[in-house]
Amino acid sequence: MSAPLLSRVYEGGAGAVVTKSVGPRPRMGHPNPTVVAVEGGLLNAMGLPNPGAGYFTGEIERLKEAGVPVVGSFFGASVEEFVEVARTLAGVGVDALELNCSCPNVEEEMGLLGSDPANVERITGAVKEAVNLPVFVKLTPNVADIVEIARAAERGGADAITAVNTLKALAIDVDLRRPVLSNTTGGLSGPALKPVALRCVWEIAECVDIPIIGVGGVSGWRDAVEFLLCGASVVEIGTAVMTRGFEVFREVAEGIRGYLAQNGFKEVREIVGLAHEA
Ligand code: DHB
């Protein structure tokens, strides 16, 4: 995503923007088709296309000049690559980093990084040591026990957990009698992902002490409040930009404000995790 598009997200009322993940060098990504609409959401397998961190720094500089708070999402295929990209992004003034070790659509080794607690702890620790910035670790729901991975990120020094990345899924074209996506499988996002994401946030909130950033199927203020009540302190919105437009950010923010006022709360923090209380 380019700086002008991300600026529109900010102007739409978001508190900060999260970039599409960047890696150490340019990647073409997968051939088309890479996106298909499915019941309740989108399935995509872009394959982490990106111009490489070196080029992307220009876009971040433009965003910072415009005063936009930027979370730089990044990935690598090894500890060294994660550290290299984190340093590059830190060097151009991102406000925080989101460590994406959980893309469902890439080469085995890279895709599996986020499913192994030892790897997640090691990568998080190395990145935290290399940069002086908040680091959010974005987890995949495609594991038997997400709490185990969240704990590993916390041990590695993560400042927050982002839960969750997309759910590995498949769409079939009955006329072609083939999978729709060139990559065969893709990541499911949008409303269909929300109950899974809420369950993940709930489980993580019961077991870790660092803040949780909720993501997965937020398209209205009620969805956002659900995430907050489950234990998220903040929410991210992605797929709903396509269905609701850039105004979704302002609508959600105003909706949360209205909910707080109507229910006698002053601040978001008062309702974070409230659904856990007996
Ligand atoms: C892609 C990356 C992701 O992190 C994700 O959740 C879905 C798709 C991708 O670029 O293929």
Side-chain angles (χ1 to χ4, degrees), residues 20-21 30 44-49 100 102-105 138 165-166 187:
K20 173 76 181 162
S21 303
H30 297 311
N44 93 85
M46 311 291 287
L48 292 171
N100 183 0
S102 48
C103 171
N105 307 321
K138 186 168 185 178
N165 210 316
T166 53

Side-chain angles (χ1 to χ4, degrees), residues 61-91:
E61 280 163 349
R62 285 166 73 189
L63 286 167
K64 291 315 301 171
E65 278 160 23
V68 179
V70 179
V71 179
S73 172
F74 70 112
F75 68 92
S78 63
V79 176
E80 293 73 24
E81 285 191 0
F82 271 99
V83 166
E84 176 195 338
V85 183
R87 284 208 172 104
T88 304
L89 297 179

